[in-house]
Amino acid sequence: MQRMREKTDKMEENKATRKLRVCVATCNRADYSKLAPIMFGIKANPDEFELEVVVLGSHLIDDYGNTFRMIEQDDFDIGSKLHTIVRGEDEAAMVESVGLALVKLPDVLHRLRPDILVVHGDRFDALALATAAALMNIRILHLEGGEVSGTIDDSIRHAISKLAHYHACCTRTAEQHLIAMCEDHTRILLAGCPSYDKLLAAHHRDDYMDIIRNWLGDNVKEHDYIVALQHPVTTDIKNSVKIYELMLDALITFNKKTLVLFPNIDAGSKEMVRVMRKKGVEQHPNFRAVKHVPFEQFIQLVCHAGAMIGNSSCGVREAGAFGTPVINLGSRQTGRETGENVLHVRDADTQNKIYHALELQFGKRYPCSKIYGDGNAVPRILKFLQTIDLDEPLQKTFCFPPVKEWDISQDIDHILETQSALAVDLGGTNLRVAIVSMRGKIVKKYTQANPKTYETRMELILKMCTEAVIDAVHLNCRILGVGVSTGGRVNPQEGVILHSTKLIQEWSSIDIRTPISDALHLPVWVDNDGNCAALAEKKFGHGKGVENFVTVITGTGIGGGIIQHNELIHGSTFCAAELGHIMVSLDGPECMCGSRGCIEAYASGMALQKEAKRLHDEELLEVEGMVDLKKAESVSAIHLINAARLGNRKAEAVLRTAGMALGVGIVNILHTVNPSLVILSGVLATHYQAPVQQVIGQRALTSAQSIQVLTSDLEEPALLGAASMVLDYTTRRIY
């Protein structure tokens, strides 16, 4: 028994000290851009991993740039180079290339004996790799499984997924597809795309103009050139060559500097190159035709382009991270998830149609998209690799859930991450940032005093948001976007604060979306704090499932939002639901907006504070039982409310007038938009509920007297509303 115990302990010790032997196989320039960040991560952890690199496919062909050299330049030791491509660039050559790879791979895999083979994507070379490894009992980690692109690549990708033992996918939809294909959800990692780790970290380079000029000439300007990358569609070669010809004709007519990359090695590429040379593209003064651009430089070219055109996956994936406008031609990427930066021309049957798409897209900028990753895929993948148990059975099993458990099997919450939003609330006193989960839980909140100047305020917003994004990784929260709630009038379509409140200085005509999106590489939504409170109620509060309702904020000021037919009303100049500035008297007290008799001038926290100070100065505020106001730092609305509770008739009269003014204003709202519910939000809501309901009963039309007034149960309506803009938009989109 002692010897057996010692043997078991020794096995555990060996298991703890043994390195995981990982073989990464790369076939072409495109998959290397996804695999390289993982290879660097493995190489940076020599105590946990041992890296082997196998190079095959078009990497080793001169016509495609001999791109294996960039792997050597990245200081990776290439263990094996396999010449597996049978030239011909037609369907038969692709089949023969798969066969040649299957003949050569067994010797290499037998010699390397990896614990796991990392294979990427949907190429025919990758299918050969997965087939050989599966038949030789080598565990396979497949990157980017579960995606849909609409060509033969789909069939190859899904075939590799069925051979693979583990999956690192990029999007929630891809994850759901894998689960629907009966893959074990415990072996699926929602990681994001590894290339995003590199491109998000490196695309803001100071020398980007040097790179652009190196490839396109000295006279080219930022956002004033095009990147074109079109590949053949192997299931429809004739049509894809025709689309390529039309694209080149449109680009020649469009008359902008254009970088054209040669197509990949799929069947049909030879015909496309012939078309390019027939058009004289290589000699045309506006064009630069190249076989390969190093990935770090390609990032700069795509990031700062006026547009990208073609059918490369880079256009529908990586380009979205920069907000670069993209024109996707033909059927090759049909079914891909895309950001709003992509304009599809699926039936690209005329030059004019493509030219018109160029006119629509060229020079635009879109919000940054993180559909395919947040820049933290590699740490997740390395952690996932470390959890692989080499002693568990090699034979993979498939999960066949009952149909009625379908939704449960696709619930993301039980996997690795919580989809979340970053919420920003810009108040007159404080600036607050929070990580908010899909279910409305505030995972973490940050608060700082709101600076007085534009520069310091913007700097603090970016600093707090950056800190929150970093913390989100450790909290297993995947940030989908940023929502900003602010006082004043906002153009949510452009992300611009038009006019702010007097409490927030230097904050008019401010584009807040662009700097946040550029800094965080996330889409950004902006709206007025009253509208955000209404959105919070719609998603998380009393307004959930209610088609028509009004939210009224009762705080420092009076604001609100109107939901009509399940949609937020903004108005023609974005000043709908300025509920605090509904006039209830022609000669009432002066309001901060410059008018008189507004609800805000009667019922806001500032109005009550003003009245409290007046009574205090006249020595009419204090009553028996109150705290000595001489010791208080300042007189506030709370002192007025406490005095009224203790029987101070002057204070009671002020609150009665405030409640009446608010009630009359809400009656006007009921008679204008006829909601089915009124929700009072803010610190004064509980004090106003009864008087408002009483005024409605006395003064509203009979048909409106039964409308209920509720106080909000939400503790942070501004933050939750800002988050709901992100969570609603990113989860309801259908691509």
Side-chain angles (χ1 to χ4, degrees):
M1 290 292 292
Q2 180 66 25
R3 282 197 299 270
M4 289 180 65
R5 199 174 295 114
E6 290 174 355
K7 184 177 179 181
T8 302
D9 292 342
K10 188 174 182 180
M11 288 176 63
E12 290 295 325
E13 182 180 347
N14 290 337
K15 182 178 177 181
T17 58
R18 182 188 170 193
K19 299 178 183 179
L20 187 71
R21 193 175 178 85
V22 181
C23 177
V24 177
T26 173
C27 310
N28 53 64
R29 66 191 182 196
D31 76 15
Y32 181 66
S33 68
K34 316 294 176 66
L35 294 168
I38 300 173
M39 293 162 65
F40 280 114
I42 291 172
K43 190 176 180 180
N45 291 273
D47 294 336
E48 285 82 25
F49 303 106
E50 184 177 344
L51 176 65
E52 292 288 347
V53 180
V54 174
V55 172
L56 64 158
S58 61
H59 272 309
L60 303 169
I61 297 178
D62 182 64
D63 285 351
Y64 292 89
N66 280 328
T67 49
F68 74 90
R69 292 196 183 99
M70 65 182 178
I71 304 173
E72 295 176 337
Q73 290 169 1
D74 284 339
D75 202 25
F76 290 115
D77 295 326
I78 299 176
S80 298
K81 296 177 184 175
L82 298 181
H83 292 271
T84 57
I85 296 299
V86 176
R87 300 305 301 274
E89 285 78 17
D90 58 14
E91 296 94 330
M94 291 168 63
V95 177
E96 291 168 355
S97 296
V98 172
L100 182 58
L102 286 171
V103 170
K104 293 187 175 184
L105 280 168
D107 286 341
V108 173
L109 295 176
H110 183 73
R111 172 171 56 83
L112 297 178
R113 295 187 179 278
D115 295 317
I116 189 161
L117 174 73
V118 180
V119 61
H120 168 271
D122 51 20
R123 311 298 302 135
F124 58 85
D125 323 71
L127 180 60
L129 282 162
T131 302
L135 292 174
M136 295 182 69
N137 290 327
I138 296 171
R139 299 170 195 271
I140 302 166
L141 171 64
H142 183 209
L143 303 180
E144 296 188 11
E147 296 185 18
V148 177
S149 58
T151 68
I152 189 64
D153 294 349
D154 278 347
S155 300
I156 295 175
R157 184 188 307 108
H158 300 332
I160 296 172
S161 292
K162 302 318 292 179
L163 293 168
H165 303 81
Y166 307 95
H167 309 273
C169 59
C170 298
T171 70
R172 185 185 183 193
T173 300
E175 176 195 39
Q176 291 173 332
H177 288 163
L178 287 169
I179 293 172
M181 291 162 61
C182 302
E183 295 297 309
D184 184 350
H185 76 265
T186 64
R187 294 190 172 197
I188 302 171
L189 172 70
L190 178 56
C193 184
S195 67
Y196 269 54
D197 290 28
K198 196 169 185 179
L199 64 90
L200 291 180
H203 88 275
H204 276 306
R205 282 175 49 168
D206 295 335
D207 63 343
Y208 70 90
M209 282 308 303
D210 294 334
I211 294 170
I212 293 170
R213 292 187 183 110
N214 180 55
W215 289 99
L216 286 153
D218 292 336
N219 296 326
V220 71
K221 297 178 182 178
E222 182 181 7
H223 301 159
D224 196 38
Y225 63 90
I226 298 168
V227 175
L229 180 52
Q230 180 89 358
H231 299 305
V233 177
T234 54
T235 51
D236 193 4
I237 294 173
K238 185 177 179 181
N239 187 50
S240 64
V241 173
K242 178 64 175 175
I243 291 174
Y244 188 65
E245 183 175 8
L246 293 171
M247 179 191 76
L248 293 178
D249 287 338
L251 287 169
I252 291 169
T253 306
F254 199 67
N255 197 30
K256 288 289 181 182
K257 287 285 187 180
T258 303
L259 181 72
V260 180
L261 279 82
F262 277 61
N264 65 19
I265 201 169
D266 285 354
S269 61
K270 189 184 296 182
E271 289 86 345
M272 292 174 75
V273 172
R274 286 197 194 103
V275 168
M276 183 174 67
R277 287 175 174 157
K278 180 181 176 183
K279 300 282 181 186
V281 166
E282 290 169 295
Q283 290 76 40
H284 196 287
N286 271 352
F287 287 82
R288 177 76 185 276
V290 298
K291 294 177 180 178
H292 170 66
V293 179
F295 184 67
E296 294 83 354
Q297 297 183 39
F298 189 62
I299 290 172
Q300 307 303 316
L301 292 165
V302 172
C303 175
H304 301 284
M308 184 175 184
I309 189 170
N311 64 1
S312 168
S313 62
C314 175
V316 298
R317 296 166 62 94
E318 283 83 357
F322 314 129
T324 301
V326 172
I327 301 158
N328 182 58
L329 303 178
S331 61
R332 188 170 185 263
Q333 302 300 339
T334 299
R336 286 272 195 199
E337 296 174 81
T338 66
E340 61 183 289
N341 64 309
V342 178
L343 174 63
H344 294 283
V345 188
R346 293 190 173 91
D347 189 14
D349 54 352
T350 65
Q351 173 190 336
N352 185 58
K353 189 181 291 184
I354 299 172
Y355 184 87
H356 186 57
L358 284 165
E359 286 186 315
L360 288 173
Q361 287 285 78
F362 186 77
K364 281 189 176 181
R365 303 313 292 175
Y366 289 90
C368 302
S369 167
K370 280 196 177 178
I371 293 172
Y372 287 95
D374 60 2
N376 297 288
V378 171
R380 295 184 182 107
I381 291 172
L382 296 183
K383 185 177 179 181
F384 187 61
L385 285 171
Q386 290 172 325
T387 65
I388 293 175
D389 183 2
L390 298 178
D391 293 327
E392 69 180 2
L394 182 68
Q395 176 60 50
K396 69 180 287 187
T397 57
F398 300 99
C399 298
F400 298 96
V403 174
K404 62 183 177 182
E405 294 181 10
W406 182 264
D407 290 336
I408 298 173
S409 71
Q410 296 191 55
D411 185 2
I412 191 66
D413 290 339
H414 75 280
I415 307 181
L416 295 178
E417 296 180 321
T418 302
Q419 298 207 49
S420 306
L422 206 59
V424 179
D425 176 33
L426 187 69
T429 305
N430 291 321
L431 174 62
R432 301 185 302 155
V433 174
I435 302 169
V436 182
S437 73
M438 188 69 73
R439 293 176 180 171
K441 177 185 176 183
I442 296 179
V443 181
K444 190 169 183 179
K445 185 167 67 174
Y446 313 77
T447 304
Q448 295 279 352
N450 194 354
K452 299 300 182 185
T453 64
Y454 166 78
E455 291 79 8
T456 53
R457 185 179 299 131
M458 203 68 240
E459 182 180 349
L460 182 59
I461 290 173
L462 297 179
K463 179 182 177 183
M464 293 175 70
C465 287
T466 301
E467 180 186 348
V469 168
I470 294 171
D471 289 346
V473 176
H474 303 294
L475 294 168
N476 282 332
C477 295
R478 185 168 185 177
I479 302 298
L480 299 174
V482 183
V484 180
S485 168
T486 180
R489 190 163 64 95
V490 176
N491 180 344
Q493 298 170 3
E494 302 293 335
V496 173
I497 300 169
L498 301 172
H499 302 292
S500 191
T501 63
K502 291 184 179 180
L503 296 174
I504 308 174
Q505 301 169 20
E506 293 189 23
W507 207 245
S508 294
S509 300
I510 298 296
D511 176 5
I512 194 170
R513 170 188 286 172
T514 300
I516 297 177
S517 181
D518 285 349
L520 303 182
H521 319 296
L522 285 166
V524 178
W525 290 266
V526 187
D527 214 328
N528 166 270
D529 52 6
N531 289 335
C532 286
L535 291 173
E537 295 294 340
K538 182 176 183 291
K539 187 167 183 66
F540 304 114
H542 294 308
K544 194 171 184 179
V546 180
E547 186 176 1
N548 303 294
F549 69 90
V550 172
T551 297
V552 181
I553 301 178
T554 58
T556 305
I558 300 290
I562 300 172
I563 301 292
Q564 196 78 342
H565 303 303
N566 291 315
E567 294 294 334
L568 187 65
I569 294 178
H570 285 100
S572 60
T573 57
F574 312 107
C575 67
E578 285 286 355
L579 307 182
H581 301 291
I582 294 175
M583 294 178 63
V584 293
S585 173
L586 294 177
D587 56 355
E590 186 177 357
C591 180
M592 288 185 68
C593 71
S595 184
R596 286 185 173 275
C598 298
I599 297 175
E600 190 168 291
Y602 286 101
S604 67
M606 291 189 69
L608 296 183
Q609 182 182 31
K610 183 178 178 181
E611 288 297 302
K613 286 181 178 179
R614 180 182 64 79
L615 292 176
H616 177 62
D617 292 342
E618 296 173 4
E619 298 184 353
L620 298 174
L621 184 61
E622 289 188 62
V623 293
E624 186 178 350
M626 283 185 67
V627 176
D628 186 359
L629 293 182
K630 294 178 182 177
K631 298 178 181 179
E633 293 183 4
S634 62
V635 178
S636 68
I638 298 299
H639 294 120
L640 183 77
I641 293 169
N642 289 337
R645 283 176 175 172
L646 293 171
N648 185 318
R649 293 192 176 184
K650 296 288 185 181
E652 287 176 352
V654 171
L655 288 180
R656 188 162 50 250
T657 300
M660 174 71 75
L662 181 62
V664 170
I666 289 176
V667 167
N668 291 334
I669 297 169
L670 300 185
H671 293 169
T672 305
V673 295
N674 192 30
S676 56
L677 176 66
V678 175
I679 303 170
L680 297 181
S681 179
V683 293
L684 300 173
T686 55
H687 303 292
Y688 283 138
Q689 182 186 17
V692 167
Q693 192 78 69
Q694 184 178 7
V695 173
I696 291 174
Q698 294 171 347
R699 301 206 173 198
L701 294 173
T702 305
S703 57
Q705 288 180 1
S706 62
I707 291 173
Q708 193 175 11
V709 179
L710 300 177
T711 57
S712 175
D713 293 333
L714 303 179
E715 293 184 8
E716 298 284 2
L719 287 173
L720 292 177
S724 73
M725 290 190 289
V726 177
L727 300 175
D728 278 348
Y729 187 79
T730 54
T731 56
R732 74 183 179 185
R733 291 189 68 182
I734 299 174
Y735 300 99

Short mmCIF file of all heavy atoms in Angstrom, two decimals, residues 627-650:
data_model
loop_
_atom_site.label_atom_id
_atom_site.label_comp_id
_atom_site.label_asym_id
_atom_site.label_seq_id
_atom_site.Cartn_x
_atom_site.Cartn_y
_atom_site.Cartn_z
N VAL A 627 -32.73 69.03 13.97
CA VAL A 627 -31.32 69.24 14.25
C VAL A 627 -31.04 70.73 14.15
O VAL A 627 -31.59 71.42 13.30
CB VAL A 627 -30.45 68.45 13.24
CG1 VAL A 627 -28.96 68.75 13.48
CG2 VAL A 627 -30.72 66.97 13.36
N ASP A 628 -30.15 71.23 15.02
CA ASP A 628 -29.81 72.65 15.02
C ASP A 628 -29.17 73.02 13.68
O ASP A 628 -28.09 72.54 13.34
CB ASP A 628 -28.83 72.94 16.16
CG ASP A 628 -28.56 74.45 16.30
OD1 ASP A 628 -29.11 75.21 15.50
OD2 ASP A 628 -27.78 74.81 17.20
N LEU A 629 -29.86 73.85 12.89
CA LEU A 629 -29.38 74.19 11.56
C LEU A 629 -28.14 75.08 11.59
O LEU A 629 -27.44 75.21 10.59
CB LEU A 629 -30.48 74.89 10.76
CG LEU A 629 -31.69 74.01 10.40
CD1 LEU A 629 -32.69 74.81 9.58
CD2 LEU A 629 -31.25 72.78 9.63
N LYS A 630 -27.87 75.67 12.74
CA LYS A 630 -26.67 76.50 12.82
C LYS A 630 -25.41 75.65 12.71
O LYS A 630 -24.35 76.12 12.31
CB LYS A 630 -26.66 77.28 14.14
CG LYS A 630 -27.78 78.31 14.24
CD LYS A 630 -27.77 79.02 15.58
CE LYS A 630 -28.92 80.02 15.66
NZ LYS A 630 -28.98 80.68 17.00
N LYS A 631 -25.54 74.36 13.07
CA LYS A 631 -24.40 73.45 12.99
C LYS A 631 -24.30 72.78 11.63
O LYS A 631 -23.31 72.13 11.32
CB LYS A 631 -24.52 72.38 14.08
CG LYS A 631 -24.49 72.96 15.48
CD LYS A 631 -24.65 71.85 16.52
CE LYS A 631 -24.66 72.43 17.93
NZ LYS A 631 -24.84 71.36 18.95
N ALA A 632 -25.35 72.90 10.82
CA ALA A 632 -25.35 72.25 9.50
C ALA A 632 -24.46 73.02 8.53
O ALA A 632 -24.34 74.24 8.61
CB ALA A 632 -26.77 72.18 8.94
N GLU A 633 -23.81 72.29 7.65
CA GLU A 633 -22.94 72.91 6.65
C GLU A 633 -23.74 73.81 5.72
O GLU A 633 -23.31 74.88 5.34
CB GLU A 633 -22.18 71.84 5.85
CG GLU A 633 -21.18 71.08 6.70
CD GLU A 633 -20.40 70.09 5.87
OE1 GLU A 633 -20.58 70.05 4.63
OE2 GLU A 633 -19.60 69.34 6.45
N SER A 634 -24.91 73.34 5.29
CA SER A 634 -25.77 74.14 4.42
C SER A 634 -27.20 73.64 4.56
O SER A 634 -27.44 72.49 4.89
CB SER A 634 -25.32 74.04 2.96
OG SER A 634 -25.42 72.70 2.51
N VAL A 635 -28.12 74.53 4.29
CA VAL A 635 -29.54 74.16 4.36
C VAL A 635 -29.92 73.51 3.04
O VAL A 635 -29.58 74.01 1.96
CB VAL A 635 -30.40 75.40 4.61
CG1 VAL A 635 -31.88 75.04 4.62
CG2 VAL A 635 -30.00 76.05 5.92
N SER A 636 -30.64 72.38 3.11
CA SER A 636 -30.99 71.64 1.90
C SER A 636 -32.48 71.34 1.86
O SER A 636 -33.23 71.66 2.80
CB SER A 636 -30.21 70.32 1.86
OG SER A 636 -30.65 69.44 2.88
N ALA A 637 -32.90 70.69 0.77
CA ALA A 637 -34.31 70.30 0.61
C ALA A 637 -34.73 69.32 1.69
O ALA A 637 -35.90 69.29 2.11
CB ALA A 637 -34.52 69.70 -0.78
N ILE A 638 -33.79 68.49 2.16
CA ILE A 638 -34.11 67.50 3.20
C ILE A 638 -34.55 68.20 4.48
O ILE A 638 -35.48 67.75 5.16
CB ILE A 638 -32.88 66.60 3.47
CG1 ILE A 638 -32.52 65.82 2.20
CG2 ILE A 638 -33.16 65.65 4.62
CD1 ILE A 638 -33.61 64.91 1.70
N HIS A 639 -33.90 69.33 4.81
CA HIS A 639 -34.32 70.07 6.01
C HIS A 639 -35.75 70.58 5.87
O HIS A 639 -36.53 70.58 6.83
CB HIS A 639 -33.37 71.26 6.24
CG HIS A 639 -31.97 70.84 6.58
ND1 HIS A 639 -30.89 71.18 5.81
CD2 HIS A 639 -31.48 70.07 7.59
CE1 HIS A 639 -29.79 70.68 6.35
NE2 HIS A 639 -30.13 69.99 7.42
N LEU A 640 -36.11 71.01 4.66
CA LEU A 640 -37.48 71.47 4.41
C LEU A 640 -38.46 70.33 4.60
O LEU A 640 -39.52 70.49 5.23
CB LEU A 640 -37.57 72.04 2.99
CG LEU A 640 -38.93 72.62 2.60
CD1 LEU A 640 -39.11 74.01 3.22
CD2 LEU A 640 -39.06 72.71 1.09
N ILE A 641 -38.14 69.17 4.08
CA ILE A 641 -39.03 68.00 4.19
C ILE A 641 -39.17 67.57 5.65
O ILE A 641 -40.28 67.27 6.12
CB ILE A 641 -38.48 66.84 3.32
CG1 ILE A 641 -38.57 67.22 1.83
CG2 ILE A 641 -39.24 65.55 3.59
CD1 ILE A 641 -37.82 66.28 0.92
N ASN A 642 -38.05 67.56 6.38
CA ASN A 642 -38.11 67.18 7.80
C ASN A 642 -38.95 68.18 8.60
O ASN A 642 -39.72 67.80 9.50
CB ASN A 642 -36.70 67.10 8.38
CG ASN A 642 -35.94 65.90 7.85
OD1 ASN A 642 -36.55 64.93 7.42
ND2 ASN A 642 -34.62 65.96 7.90
N ALA A 643 -38.79 69.46 8.26
CA ALA A 643 -39.58 70.47 8.97
C ALA A 643 -41.07 70.27 8.72
O ALA A 643 -41.90 70.41 9.64
CB ALA A 643 -39.14 71.87 8.52
N ALA A 644 -41.43 69.96 7.49
CA ALA A 644 -42.84 69.72 7.16
C ALA A 644 -43.38 68.51 7.92
O ALA A 644 -44.51 68.53 8.43
CB ALA A 644 -42.99 69.52 5.66
N ARG A 645 -42.56 67.46 8.05
CA ARG A 645 -42.99 66.26 8.79
C ARG A 645 -43.23 66.57 10.26
O ARG A 645 -44.08 65.94 10.91
CB ARG A 645 -41.92 65.17 8.66
CG ARG A 645 -41.91 64.47 7.32
CD ARG A 645 -40.77 63.48 7.26
NE ARG A 645 -40.79 62.70 6.04
CZ ARG A 645 -39.81 61.88 5.66
NH1 ARG A 645 -38.72 61.77 6.42
NH2 ARG A 645 -39.92 61.19 4.54
N LEU A 646 -42.47 67.53 10.79
CA LEU A 646 -42.60 67.88 12.20
C LEU A 646 -43.65 68.96 12.45
O LEU A 646 -43.77 69.50 13.54
CB LEU A 646 -41.24 68.34 12.74
CG LEU A 646 -40.16 67.25 12.81
CD1 LEU A 646 -38.79 67.85 13.13
CD2 LEU A 646 -40.53 66.19 13.85
N GLY A 647 -44.42 69.31 11.38
CA GLY A 647 -45.55 70.20 11.56
C GLY A 647 -45.31 71.65 11.21
O GLY A 647 -46.16 72.51 11.51
N ASN A 648 -44.19 71.97 10.57
CA ASN A 648 -43.93 73.35 10.16
C ASN A 648 -44.86 73.70 9.01
O ASN A 648 -44.74 73.17 7.91
CB ASN A 648 -42.46 73.49 9.73
CG ASN A 648 -42.09 74.93 9.40
OD1 ASN A 648 -42.85 75.65 8.76
ND2 ASN A 648 -40.90 75.33 9.81
N ARG A 649 -45.81 74.62 9.27
CA ARG A 649 -46.84 74.90 8.27
C ARG A 649 -46.28 75.63 7.05
O ARG A 649 -46.78 75.45 5.94
CB ARG A 649 -47.95 75.73 8.91
CG ARG A 649 -48.71 74.94 9.97
CD ARG A 649 -49.98 75.65 10.38
NE ARG A 649 -50.75 74.84 11.31
CZ ARG A 649 -51.95 75.19 11.79
NH1 ARG A 649 -52.49 76.35 11.40
NH2 ARG A 649 -52.58 74.40 12.63
N LYS A 650 -45.26 76.44 7.25
CA LYS A 650 -44.64 77.12 6.11
C LYS A 650 -43.98 76.11 5.18
O LYS A 650 -44.11 76.19 3.95
CB LYS A 650 -43.59 78.13 6.61
CG LYS A 650 -44.15 79.27 7.43
CD LYS A 650 -44.92 80.26 6.55
CE LYS A 650 -45.36 81.46 7.35
NZ LYS A 650 -46.12 82.44 6.54
#
